[in-house]
Amino acid sequence: MNTRSSVRPGLHEPVLAGVVTALVGFTSSFAVVLAGLRATGASPEQAASGLLALTAVVGLGIVLLSLRYRIPVTLSWSTPGAALLAGASIPSGGWPAAVGAFLVTGILIALTAAVPWLGRLVARIPQHLAQAMLAGVLLPLCLAPFQSIGTIPLLVLPVILVWLAASALAPKWSVPLALVAALAVIGVQLGLAGTTIEASSLAPSLAFTLPTIAPAAVVGIALPLYVVTMASQNLPGVAVLSSFGYRTPWRPALAVTGVGTAVVAPFGGHAVNLAALSAALSAGEGAGEDRDRRWIAALTAGLSYLVLAACSGALVVVVGAAPAGLVEAVAGLALIGTMATAVTASFRDATGRMSGAVTFLLAASGLSVVGIGGAFWALIGGLVVRAAIERRGPA
């Protein structure tokens, strides 16, 4: 009897932490994923397929890694990568070329597990340039909530007010609660318009697209997507686990996420990686005092993602019925914190501010040359400026 009573409290905390990890990870960024996939040419059905495939493979990957290594390692889709896609344009070759770029991204991530020097090469990219590229990519999305005030004020202001109040009282729930507010607004709009949704359309479904390998899409989408996923997700994910005393199974995790990305690419998934911000929810003290049992939180998060995958179709249908600009506003609110962090990191070091500024401005400009988007040219421009005017003399 005493044994049972001592076990139950120990399980309650990690299980609850795992459910919260999945809910926060999914609801805080799935709108960004949908925006990114649609921007690169996906139809509503293909974007819904991508969200379903990503959610399922994230859940399966977490279950596999947590059971194998008994540590709270969690995965997510690449939210910065989705933001990068949202700021891009439809590549030459259309959606199949974008899918081909996602496939190449998965291969590059998997290769990083097999070829250690590739990971070291990514780690050598100046962090302030990677962060400046990310900040520039995020800027247009982060402007969306405030631009929407001018077009749909009565719809977007309640969402912003809920986000502000939640940010003050319960920060980790600010974006999920803003999403709930947006769904309520959408529901009211559908009710006033007398719009009905077919029950059959709520079921999740996969849509296969044969990938096309287009050089411009590989350079303009795959390479920046790989860099931003590694620099802004995988490397910080290792640091988060390390801060709680866990050693990340680096190469197995990259193999799982790389292969997972390649598998879901034909179904519209853009990139899978180690979780960064949400990883702390499963690895921290909120998952229980017993560090050796916090892997249960990760396992629960993986199983919760599989449940969310089954609900993804209904969410996509409801979101698809939203007034123009409302979903983009929620996505922008979700990314403001990430952008603030990226901007701070971009300009923290005075010796690198010029290259950081050039990288930021190029990424935010929407530049496209020979079909290659601004994220790639931003990184190149930043490296050129750094080499030309920021060289340090001998110590």
Side-chain angles (χ1 to χ4, degrees), residues 8 28 165 177 243 290 370:
R8 286 176 183 170
S28 64
L177 288 174
S243 70
D290 189 348
V370 296

Side-chain angles (χ1 to χ4, degrees), residues 287-360:
E289 294 183 4
D290 189 348
R291 294 181 62 260
D292 293 332
R293 303 182 74 181
R294 291 180 190 170
W295 68 271
I296 297 173
L299 176 63
T300 305
L303 296 174
S304 299
Y305 267 110
L306 295 178
V307 174
L308 290 168
C311 305
S312 63
L315 278 172
V316 171
V317 171
V318 174
V319 166
L326 185 58
V327 176
E328 290 79 5
V330 175
L333 293 174
L335 293 168
I336 288 176
T338 303
M339 181 185 167
T341 301
V343 169
T344 301
S346 302
F347 302 111
R348 181 181 294 120
D349 183 1
T351 62
R353 284 178 184 167
M354 185 60 72
S355 59
V358 169
T359 303
F360 171 78

Side-chain angles (χ1 to χ4, degrees), residues 201-341:
S201 67
L202 301 179
S205 61
L206 293 172
F208 180 84
T209 300
L210 186 65
T212 298
I213 306 300
V218 169
V219 175
I221 294 179
L223 292 182
L225 181 56
Y226 168 71
V227 170
V228 79
T229 298
M230 292 295 298
S232 300
Q233 293 285 127
N234 283 329
L235 296 178
V238 172
V240 169
L241 281 179
S242 178
S243 70
F244 292 105
Y246 298 100
R247 183 176 179 182
T248 304
W250 173 245
R251 295 177 73 176
L254 287 184
V256 168
T257 56
V259 171
T261 299
V263 168
V264 300
F267 301 100
H270 68 292
V272 180
N273 46 248
L274 288 166
L277 296 178
S278 62
L281 298 174
S282 287
E285 293 182 359
E289 294 183 4
D290 189 348
R291 294 181 62 260
D292 293 332
R293 303 182 74 181
R294 291 180 190 170
W295 68 271
I296 297 173
L299 176 63
T300 305
L303 296 174
S304 299
Y305 267 110
L306 295 178
V307 174
L308 290 168
C311 305
S312 63
L315 278 172
V316 171
V317 171
V318 174
V319 166
L326 185 58
V327 176
E328 290 79 5
V330 175
L333 293 174
L335 293 168
I336 288 176
T338 303
M339 181 185 167
T341 301

Side-chain angles (χ1 to χ4, degrees), residues 76-222:
S76 67
W77 50 61
S78 177
T79 301
L84 184 150
L85 298 178
S89 56
I90 299 175
S92 177
W95 176 241
V99 168
F102 303 160
L103 178 61
V104 171
T105 302
I107 293 171
L108 288 173
I109 295 172
L111 279 176
T112 306
V115 184
W117 67 261
L118 191 56
R120 291 194 293 269
L121 181 63
V122 173
R124 291 187 64 183
I125 295 174
Q127 275 299 299
H128 78 285
L129 295 186
Q131 292 298 320
M133 179 182 72
L134 177 59
V137 164
L138 294 178
L139 178 61
L141 270 178
C142 291
L143 290 174
F146 310 106
Q147 292 170 336
S148 297
I149 293 175
T151 55
I152 49 171
L154 295 180
L155 302 181
V156 78
L157 279 174
V159 178
I160 294 176
L161 290 175
V162 168
W163 173 76
L164 280 173
S167 295
L169 300 174
K172 73 178 179 182
W173 292 103
S174 59
V175 176
L177 288 174
L179 174 64
V180 170
L183 291 176
V185 169
I186 295 169
V188 170
Q189 284 291 106
L190 293 178
L192 292 175
T195 304
T196 58
I197 296 176
E198 297 272 343
S200 59
S201 67
L202 301 179
S205 61
L206 293 172
F208 180 84
T209 300
L210 186 65
T212 298
I213 306 300
V218 169
V219 175
I221 294 179

Side-chain angles (χ1 to χ4, degrees), residues 53-91:
L54 284 168
T55 308
V57 81
V58 164
L60 289 172
I62 294 174
V63 169
L64 176 63
L65 289 169
S66 60
L67 285 175
R68 172 65 179 84
Y69 294 99
R70 292 295 199 272
I71 63 172
V73 56
T74 52
L75 308 179
S76 67
W77 50 61
S78 177
T79 301
L84 184 150
L85 298 178
S89 56
I90 299 175

